[in-house]
Amino acid sequence: MGNKRCWKLVHPSGTGMLLKTLLITSVLGWAKCQESQSMTPEEKIVIRDQIIEMFDHAYGSYMKYAYPADELMPLSCRGRVRGQEPNRGDIDDSLGKFSLTLIDTLDTLVVLNKLDEFEDAVRKAVTDVRLDNDVVVSVFETNIRVLGGLLGAHVMADLLQQRGERMQWYRGELLHMAKELGHRLLPAFNTTSGLPYPKVNLRYGVLNPLSRTGTESDTCTACAGTMILEFAALSRLSGETVFEEHARKALDVLWQRRQRGSDLVGTVINIHNEEWVRRDSGVGAGIDSYYEYLMKAYILLGDNVFLERFNIPPLLLNVHMHNPTVSVRSWMDSLLAFFPGLQVLRGDLKPAIETHEMLYQVTKQHKFLPEAFTTEFRVHWGQHLLRPEFAESTYYLYKATADPYYLRVGQSIVEKLNAYARVPCGFAAVQDVRTGTHEDRMDSFFLAEMFKYLYLLFSEKGQLPIDIDDYIFTTEAHLLPVSLSTTQPPCQGNNTETVPGSQEEDLFTHSCPSMETLFPNNPTFAKTIRDSYKYLTGVGRAFHPLPVREIELPLHDNGMEPVEFLKSMGISLTPLNEFMAGDTRSRKEHKGVYRVKLVAEVSHTLEEEEVVPHVVQLISPPFLGRTVLTAGPAKFGMDLTKQEHGVKGSVMKASPYTACGPIDNAVELKGHIALALRGDCMFAVKARWLQEAGAIGVIFIDHREGSNSKETPLFQMVGDGDSTEDITLPLVFLFSQEGAMLTAALEEHHNVDVLLLPKERQLGHDKTEKPVSINIKLHLAEEGELEEVSSRRPTLEFVLEKQEMLLKEKEEEELRGQQQQPQQQFCSEAAENDRTAPCSADSSQNANPNSGPDANP
């Protein structure tokens, strides 16, 4: 089960101190009403039927409004055809004009027992789909979605044919298509290192003059390391070893370039010189499926080398690969939601439950998992693309624990999808979870994965048309038979080198975990683990201040100190060597558990950083400053708030528009403010290329169609984790609609001058002074009470008269001089009865200041 440590926080007494610390986990609340609720078979049937109806709505909408296009645009009720819609940057590299959603959905139809629809869809794929289009596509996305989809569908078609029930006409056409696609992807591996290019032209390859690609120098770790399942399956099903050989070679390179001390790999690597471009390591975007495929390659192929290389980073935050105790960012991305499922496969159920519960609480707070969220669970990037990873982990945890709690989690996923993502023509991505606005996209993985995992969650094994335990899920949830390791011989000559120095193995290193062994006679172990989060946040029990407050943190440690994780969340910890010496009460005996006591020094949680709105103001004729586009700032580069008059210049589009490599029009761009499209690489990478080309500023334009500053909160662009002190350009960000206005102006007038500056300094902005305000606290005072108050500080006296209210300030010196005859504001009994009678200040009345209303202000 790995090395586990139990860490304790010992807090000084006081509710305030505790609450400040627990702000970091205040969202880890507990829905106690659902905890004890089981789910009847009838309830499961109702929800399963609901999932089928939702799938029919999504798949039916694609087939009705979009097919044969790659994807459905659910708000426009039409298909997304590449080249006919505005370019979205790297997102469009998934689209190859090969009916992506149809192929990605094929084996989902079998799992949902829609066998007639499956046979019809296979006929369409065989008849209509072409794989030789002159289109540049992502090697990674095409592999997991299209190649994986073809292989999974072939396995299903072959199985149904062997049963003799249907598909009798099938002659392996899908496997032939898979081989064709595999050969069209192979040119990407034509590098000196063996790491693949990130993109390939389906017709012309990479190095062909007509390919329009091959200039890329970097690729992500997941992009290079997520090929082995599909390529090995293709080799073993087709008998052509070349595919598995190339996928293994790429994994070899990544392993050889790991940091030897930590065995961690970076996130982005140069495909030519094998040097790391980004050295942050984690389990989120850019690296996630690399770890997933090491574990699953061992399961599918039975090769121990993959298990020996498998290494799970202990934390969800990205860390530096050379120093895994240093966090490089304070936010997490939604792709890490697959991680609990991988932990289940490894047998690490306790941390899987903990990680999943944390993510569930985030969904409770924001309805969906935002694309990125901070360690305080605030939204860092509000987009939600209907990603299935959280549903995937929920399914794995239910399979491992049989805890009905996870059925309720699945039910909440179903309900939220219907309530907040369903539209008349399918399901639409959420542009920002804070506003609930939709985005005109329904990615193919929604049909390939989401409905598959949800349907399996609410289905009994005997209700499925296949034995699901005979298959391993790819990262796109396509089904590959685990029998490939035994029924098909491994390819000759491509066994990878063994890893020197085998790591310590536990009980479940080479077998699936047994709950009876892990948690003997404890059917409620999952609830007990989740309760750790309930107690951590203080929910569910009364708080009683104690001289010393102990909180047990359910952290799982495989090498990185949880101390650093807590520091990243605002808690400083110091070891307790002598502090608790002699305290035997807390020395609980737990076999195999090592307890370390720590004293927490609580620091104030930083308030959410305010984003200062900037503008791009068009100042050349015919605009003359009247067109002002709201822009977001950057956390690096020139600070425009310190530039009195902003930065002025003429705008020009960069070529390539994404600016992720050398700038082709550098001569023309020099001295201009560059326009660059978001996507393909980090903002800092683009900024460096444009700065090198001589640009005097950069305006980044969002590649997400329809985004705008009115519906989407502004954000600050951040760097790439490394130092950005070398970037001195002013940088601003425009959402898609504002960017379209600027590019339209440039196309019409060719020469457009703009000002980049904070919004409050824009030309023509009315800089009227804000009125000065003062807060005044009022209370009803008893007679004689004013003397006590006025002796301490200046006071104001309200004198109420029939036609006016006179505010008279009584200075402290005057009041002190009249202490012998204090004045007290009061209303006589007659005046109380007659609301028109004035209140007067009368010194002849003396009242007991303690006999009446509370005199405290």
Side-chain angles (χ1 to χ4, degrees):
M1 289 297 294
N3 181 26
K4 314 249 185 333
R5 301 183 196 170
C6 187
W7 297 83
K8 274 198 171 184
L9 276 177
V10 184
H11 280 270
S13 60
T15 308
M17 294 288 283
L18 181 66
L19 290 178
K20 289 177 186 176
T21 302
L22 295 185
L23 278 175
I24 60 168
T25 48
S26 61
V27 299
L28 295 180
W30 190 249
K32 189 172 184 179
C33 59
Q34 290 189 350
E35 183 65 46
S36 59
Q37 290 182 357
S38 59
M39 184 172 287
T40 65
E42 291 74 20
E43 284 183 279
K44 292 176 67 175
I45 291 174
V46 169
I47 297 174
R48 188 167 68 248
D49 290 344
Q50 187 179 10
I51 293 168
I52 293 176
E53 186 278 330
M54 292 166 64
F55 172 82
D56 289 341
H57 177 61
Y59 179 68
S61 294
Y62 166 74
M63 296 303 295
K64 179 178 180 180
Y65 298 112
Y67 181 80
D70 283 315
E71 288 182 343
L72 168 68
M73 299 171 67
L75 302 183
S76 305
C77 297
R78 67 174 189 267
R80 184 180 296 280
V81 179
R82 193 165 177 183
Q84 296 182 13
E85 302 295 336
N87 189 308
R88 300 178 300 168
D90 59 327
I91 298 175
D92 285 340
D93 290 339
S94 302
L95 313 179
K97 297 183 179 180
F98 37 34
S99 300
L100 172 64
T101 298
L102 177 74
I103 293 177
D104 220 1
T105 309
L106 288 174
D107 56 2
T108 302
L109 291 166
V110 176
V111 172
L112 271 59
N113 209 18
K114 292 182 170 292
L115 304 185
D116 291 336
E117 290 88 339
F118 172 72
E119 187 161 3
D120 180 63
V122 171
R123 288 185 184 274
K124 282 185 169 62
V126 170
T127 304
D128 300 341
V129 173
R130 294 181 59 92
L131 300 170
D132 62 346
N133 301 307
D134 181 11
V135 179
V136 175
V137 297
S138 162
V139 174
F140 167 77
E141 296 289 354
T142 305
N143 173 64
I144 65 172
R145 298 201 204 188
V146 185
L147 182 58
L150 291 171
L151 291 172
H154 163 71
V155 170
M156 295 295 102
D158 191 53
L159 175 67
L160 294 176
Q161 185 183 57
Q162 290 178 24
R163 290 179 179 175
E165 300 169 1
R166 53 184 80 232
M167 302 295 297
Q168 296 306 303
W169 58 270
Y170 182 69
R171 295 295 180 269
E173 289 88 346
L174 293 175
L175 180 58
H176 293 307
M177 294 174 67
K179 282 196 296 183
E180 178 189 349
L181 182 59
H183 282 290
R184 294 187 180 279
L185 294 178
L186 279 181
F189 290 84
N190 187 20
T191 61
T192 55
S193 66
L195 295 171
Y197 282 96
K199 300 179 183 181
V200 66
N201 186 298
L202 291 175
R203 179 175 296 176
Y204 296 112
V206 173
L207 301 179
N208 189 298
L210 299 176
S211 67
R212 304 189 307 282
T213 188
T215 60
E216 301 86 4
S217 59
D218 306 334
T219 192
C220 69
T221 300
C223 301
T226 310
M227 307 291 292
I228 186 63
L229 292 189
E230 292 83 1
F231 269 41
L234 179 58
S235 283
R236 300 192 182 202
L237 290 171
S238 68
E240 297 184 21
T241 63
V242 63
F243 306 108
E244 186 171 346
E245 290 169 356
H246 279 87
R248 284 178 176 264
K249 171 63 175 176
L251 282 174
D252 286 346
V253 175
L254 292 174
W255 178 252
Q256 290 162 4
R257 301 303 300 174
R258 74 192 186 281
Q259 170 59 28
R260 301 285 173 156
S262 63
D263 281 347
L264 294 177
V265 293
T267 306
V268 177
I269 192 170
N270 186 291
I271 60 176
H272 302 300
N273 61 23
E274 304 175 23
E275 294 295 326
W276 291 107
V277 178
R278 286 182 55 192
R279 298 177 181 273
D280 48 315
S281 185
V283 294
I287 199 171
D288 50 351
S289 49
Y290 164 75
Y291 291 109
E292 178 185 4
Y293 269 38
L294 285 177
M295 169 57 75
K296 289 183 175 179
Y298 164 69
I299 297 173
L300 181 69
L301 306 176
D303 190 337
N304 283 342
V305 73
F306 298 118
L307 183 65
E308 291 165 351
R309 292 179 179 183
F310 179 63
N311 172 50
I312 300 179
L315 297 181
L316 305 180
L317 290 172
N318 276 32
V319 297
H320 199 285
M321 60 180 286
H322 293 289
N323 189 354
T325 63
V326 176
S327 175
V328 296
R329 67 188 192 196
S330 60
W331 50 271
M332 299 169 272
D333 63 72
S334 63
L335 285 173
L336 62 81
F338 87 98
F339 194 47
L342 190 60
Q343 289 173 311
V344 169
L345 284 180
R346 175 66 176 83
D348 291 332
L349 288 184
K350 183 176 183 291
I353 292 167
E354 294 163 355
T355 307
H356 179 274
E357 182 61 20
M358 179 271 289
L359 295 168
Y360 184 37
Q361 299 301 331
V362 176
T363 67
K364 283 185 176 181
Q365 183 168 339
H366 302 297
K367 298 185 180 69
F368 299 105
L369 276 181
E371 260 318 76
F373 51 94
T374 69
T375 50
E376 294 85 15
F377 308 136
R378 293 198 300 260
V379 173
H380 181 76
W381 181 9
Q383 191 180 33
H384 175 73
L385 302 178
L386 308 180
R387 292 197 186 277
E389 284 80 9
F390 181 66
E392 173 186 1
S393 290
T394 303
Y395 163 69
Y396 275 111
L397 274 167
Y398 180 66
K399 286 275 288 185
T401 65
D403 189 336
Y405 175 81
Y406 296 108
L407 295 177
R408 295 298 177 189
V409 175
Q411 182 181 15
S412 75
I413 297 173
V414 171
E415 292 171 349
K416 288 173 181 175
L417 285 172
N418 266 326
Y420 303 111
R422 186 169 184 143
V423 294
C425 295
F427 290 81
V430 179
Q431 192 173 76
D432 196 298
V433 297
R434 291 164 291 193
T435 63
T437 54
H438 286 133
E439 192 171 343
D440 201 5
R441 61 186 290 189
M442 187 180 82
D443 290 81
S444 68
F445 54 67
F446 182 61
L447 286 165
E449 301 182 68
M450 180 69 81
F451 293 109
K452 195 175 290 174
Y453 288 123
L454 289 176
Y455 186 82
L456 289 171
L457 177 63
F458 291 96
S459 300
E460 303 299 330
K461 195 172 181 179
Q463 297 170 330
L464 300 173
I466 59 174
D467 186 347
I468 200 67
D469 292 336
D470 289 343
Y471 302 89
I472 188 77
F473 290 105
T474 69
T475 195
E476 192 77 4
H478 293 306
L479 300 171
L480 298 178
V482 293
S483 60
L484 283 179
S485 63
T486 56
T487 59
Q488 302 289 340
C491 298
Q492 298 297 317
N494 60 347
N495 290 324
T496 54
E497 59 179 291
T498 57
V499 182
S502 61
Q503 300 176 353
E504 181 181 354
E505 296 180 348
D506 58 41
L507 181 62
F508 304 114
T509 294
H510 296 277
S511 64
C512 294
S514 163
M515 286 186 295
E516 271 303 308
T517 305
L518 288 170
F519 307 99
N521 304 315
N522 184 9
T524 63
F525 71 92
K527 178 182 182 300
T528 304
I529 296 170
R530 291 193 301 267
D531 278 350
S532 299
Y533 281 88
K534 174 173 68 175
Y535 294 151
L536 182 62
T537 60
V539 177
R541 64 179 179 184
F543 174 74
H544 302 287
L546 297 173
V548 176
R549 182 77 174 168
E550 295 186 358
I551 301 174
E552 185 175 312
L553 295 182
L555 293 177
H556 175 59
D557 181 25
N558 278 339
M560 183 186 298
E561 296 297 332
V563 175
E564 298 299 327
F565 179 55
L566 294 170
K567 280 183 179 179
S568 71
M569 296 195 297
I571 300 179
S572 300
L573 304 177
T574 51
L576 262 185
N577 295 328
E578 290 90 17
F579 183 78
M580 296 297 289
D583 181 9
T584 58
R585 292 174 300 172
S586 59
R587 295 179 183 175
K588 302 174 184 177
E589 294 297 328
H590 291 275
K591 185 176 180 181
V593 176
Y594 175 61
R595 290 181 179 272
V596 175
K597 289 202 168 190
L598 305 156
V599 168
E601 173 190 320
V602 183
S603 60
H604 290 284
T605 303
L606 293 176
E607 293 295 327
E608 192 162 5
E609 210 168 350
E610 182 181 0
V611 178
V612 178
H614 284 50
V615 296
V616 176
Q617 188 168 19
L618 281 63
I619 58 175
S620 56
F623 307 103
L624 301 177
R626 292 187 295 268
T627 300
V628 181
L629 308 174
T630 300
K635 286 189 174 182
F636 59 101
M638 181 187 295
D639 186 352
L640 286 170
T641 63
K642 297 179 180 178
Q643 306 298 316
E644 184 177 358
H645 303 295
V647 172
K648 174 186 174 182
S650 298
V651 295
M652 176 178 289
K653 276 189 177 181
S655 177
Y657 198 16
T658 55
C660 288
I663 305 302
D664 297 335
N665 61 338
V667 175
E668 297 85 356
L669 192 66
K670 186 175 182 180
H672 288 73
I673 294 176
L675 296 184
L677 188 68
R678 179 184 185 179
D680 282 3
C681 62
M682 305 290 286
F683 288 120
V685 174
K686 299 173 186 286
R688 289 189 179 99
W689 282 116
L690 293 168
Q691 180 171 282
E692 183 179 322
I696 61 171
V698 181
I699 302 172
F700 296 112
I701 297 178
D702 196 6
H703 61 330
R704 294 178 301 133
E705 183 181 348
S707 65
N708 60 83
S709 60
K710 291 183 179 179
E711 297 179 346
T712 308
L714 288 177
F715 65 90
Q716 296 189 80
M717 294 178 286
V718 296
D720 54 5
D722 295 328
S723 173
T724 53
E725 293 181 357
D726 58 313
I727 300 174
T728 57
L729 292 176
L731 312 168
V732 296
F733 176 86
L734 291 177
F735 286 109
S736 175
Q737 288 187 8
E738 286 82 359
M741 295 173 63
L742 179 58
T743 54
L746 184 61
E747 290 175 5
E748 182 177 355
H749 301 284
H750 304 294
N751 182 40
V752 176
D753 293 340
V754 299
L755 264 179
L756 310 182
L757 70 173
K759 189 171 186 178
E760 61 181 13
R761 296 184 189 167
Q762 68 189 58
L763 293 180
H765 184 65
D766 185 12
K767 300 180 180 180
T768 56
E769 294 185 3
K770 295 182 179 179
V772 178
S773 60
I774 183 172
N775 292 326
I776 302 175
K777 293 184 177 180
L778 301 176
H779 75 279
L780 295 176
E782 289 295 330
E783 193 175 0
E785 193 181 326
L786 187 60
E787 175 183 5
E788 179 184 351
V789 176
S790 62
S791 65
R792 297 195 302 266
R793 59 182 181 268
T795 62
L796 297 175
E797 179 185 351
F798 283 92
V799 180
L800 303 180
E801 295 186 357
K802 213 163 194 174
Q803 301 300 329
E804 64 180 352
M805 179 184 290
L806 175 64
L807 178 62
K808 182 171 59 179
E809 182 173 358
K810 302 175 68 69
E811 298 294 343
E812 184 175 10
E813 293 79 4
E814 178 186 353
L815 289 170
R816 286 176 176 171
Q818 299 177 3
Q819 284 183 3
Q820 301 302 318
Q821 295 180 343
Q823 296 187 353
Q824 176 68 36
Q825 177 186 340
F826 74 99
C827 283
S828 66
E829 186 176 8
E832 183 66 26
N833 293 330
D834 182 5
R835 295 294 179 183
T836 62
C839 288
S840 62
D842 192 336
S843 61
S844 64
Q845 302 279 341
N846 286 317
N848 184 352
N850 296 324
S851 63
D854 185 4
N856 292 325

